[in-house]
Amino acid sequence: MSVFKGAGVAIVTPFHNDGSVNYEKFEELIEFQIQNGTDAIIVCGTTGESSTLTHEEHLDVIKFCAQKVNKRVPVIAGTGSNCTSTAVYLSTEAEKYGVDGLLLVTPYYNKATQNGLFEHFKKVADSVKLPIILYNVPSRTGCNIMPQTAVKLCTEVSNIVGIKEASGNISQVAKLASLAQGKVDIDIYSGNDDQIVPILSLGGKGVISVLSNVAPRQTHEICAKFFEGDIVGSYNEQLRAIELFDALFCEVNPIPVKEALNLMGKEVGPTRMPLSKMEDANVEKLRIAMKNYGIL
């Protein structure tokens, strides 16, 4: 069984102006997501600024999220690292908090070989019993999980069950689906909001979404309509959001989506350095896109 099916939000981590985690706002965001039909919450991923959280903060945020969600929807914790022992530590601790799965990003900066990636992910997976979704985002990590490696991991490691594909390479996703067909079930999730429908059409199970932070109901509907057989309704909803997708990624994620939430009055605070304040011209672009989409 899949960890989740549909639209999972890669939820932001709200901060006070002094940079500390704003847990009161975080609880509000969690409730906003659940009330608006999100299918899962992915905590401490890229959008959650996990790279600038201390290990203590990282685990506190995961624990808080798991407690507040309280099994109403699945919680998947981002516990990846470019240090294998750190990834093991974060993963084993997160498992104690009752999360439903783990998201493991490809080790960044090290640029491991495909054999190195296999050994890294297997080592982390063997340390826990939770189902694991790999996270392939080569534009950030400098390292690509090749389809053959993903299939081998899902075949030989029982609790590695899926992959968040954010390579942007639909041909690679098609190759992955083809290699897996008839051999092993791999839950493929889109890691790009503008490719939800294409990946669903290749057998994908959903999306791990930035858009869901500001439009959880609409993102859920893109997936739900597709699964119900309303393909036209699904891709119409996908295409309707293209202007907003572009605005949400006109600067590096999560700068725009935090700005969008602040424009909506959610008061999620700033990003942590080295991420910077959004440029004024891009704020205006985002504001127009949100108005055209109907969420501002």
Side-chain angles (χ1 to χ4, degrees):
M1 179 180 287
S2 303
V3 183
F4 77 96
K5 184 177 180 180
V9 61
I11 199 165
V12 306
T13 302
F15 297 127
H16 294 288
N17 287 332
D18 66 2
S20 59
V21 177
N22 188 335
Y23 286 101
E24 181 180 355
K25 288 297 175 185
F26 192 37
E27 183 173 6
E28 290 177 14
L29 293 180
I30 290 168
E31 294 304 322
F32 171 70
Q33 288 296 319
I34 292 173
Q35 290 164 13
N36 284 279
T38 204
D39 296 296
I41 294 177
I42 294 80
V43 60
C44 289
T46 302
T47 311
E49 297 180 76
S50 57
S51 60
T52 51
L53 297 174
T54 66
H55 291 167
E56 182 180 36
E57 287 174 325
H58 194 136
L59 293 172
D60 284 347
V61 169
I62 291 170
K63 185 176 184 179
F64 182 89
C65 185
Q67 289 176 338
K68 294 301 177 183
V69 172
N70 195 25
K71 298 298 181 182
R72 288 177 288 172
V73 297
V75 171
I76 295 95
T79 55
S81 173
N82 66 333
C83 172
T84 304
S85 62
T86 299
V88 168
Y89 166 67
L90 293 173
S91 298
T92 54
E93 289 299 305
E95 184 173 40
K96 299 173 186 177
Y97 306 150
V99 300
D100 300 281
L102 303 176
L103 182 71
L104 297 182
V105 70
T106 310
Y108 39 88
Y109 188 77
N110 312 65
K111 298 185 74 172
T113 65
Q114 295 300 301
N115 286 338
L117 292 178
F118 179 88
E119 294 299 332
H120 167 82
F121 287 124
K122 184 178 187 303
K123 179 77 171 179
V124 181
D126 286 346
S127 72
V128 295
K129 293 183 173 61
L130 290 170
I132 287 170
I133 299 170
L134 308 175
Y135 178 13
N136 190 36
V137 58
S139 65
R140 284 186 180 265
T141 64
C143 193
N144 186 23
I145 306 175
M146 298 303 293
Q148 296 86 345
T149 304
V151 171
K152 183 179 179 183
L153 281 161
C154 289
T155 301
E156 297 185 18
V157 186
S158 62
N159 59 329
I160 296 181
V161 299
I163 186 167
K164 174 186 176 182
E165 246 299 342
S167 66
N169 186 341
I170 292 296
S171 296
Q172 177 166 302
V173 178
K175 179 72 171 179
L176 170 61
S178 174
L179 288 174
Q181 191 173 33
K183 296 178 182 177
V184 63
D185 290 329
I186 299 179
D187 294 335
I188 303 173
Y189 299 94
S190 177
N192 296 310
D193 284 309
D194 59 353
Q195 294 181 345
I196 302 172
V197 173
I199 286 180
L200 293 180
S201 74
L202 290 168
K205 293 294 173 64
V207 60
I208 295 177
S209 171
V210 174
L211 176 67
S212 284
N213 280 281
V214 296
R217 180 65 63 184
Q218 296 92 325
T219 314
H220 165 85
E221 285 299 316
I222 293 173
C223 297
K225 287 178 183 294
F226 189 96
F227 295 138
E228 291 163 2
D230 182 8
I231 310 302
V232 172
S234 177
Y235 76 65
N236 281 340
E237 190 64 47
Q238 168 99 79
L239 296 180
R240 188 173 78 84
I242 289 295
E243 181 188 14
L244 182 54
F245 297 153
D246 289 345
L248 286 172
F249 290 93
C250 68
E251 292 188 22
V252 67
N253 179 50
I255 292 172
V257 73
K258 289 193 102 171
E259 184 67 38
L261 286 163
N262 286 330
L263 288 172
M264 293 170 68
K266 299 295 185 185
E267 298 178 358
V268 299
T271 52
R272 280 186 175 174
M273 291 181 68
L275 299 184
S276 56
K277 190 177 185 299
M278 196 171 185
E279 295 180 15
D280 291 343
N282 286 332
V283 172
E284 187 57 26
K285 176 181 179 178
L286 177 61
R287 190 192 311 272
I288 292 169
M290 292 173 70
K291 285 182 177 178
N292 290 343
Y293 192 67
I295 58 173
L296 193 63

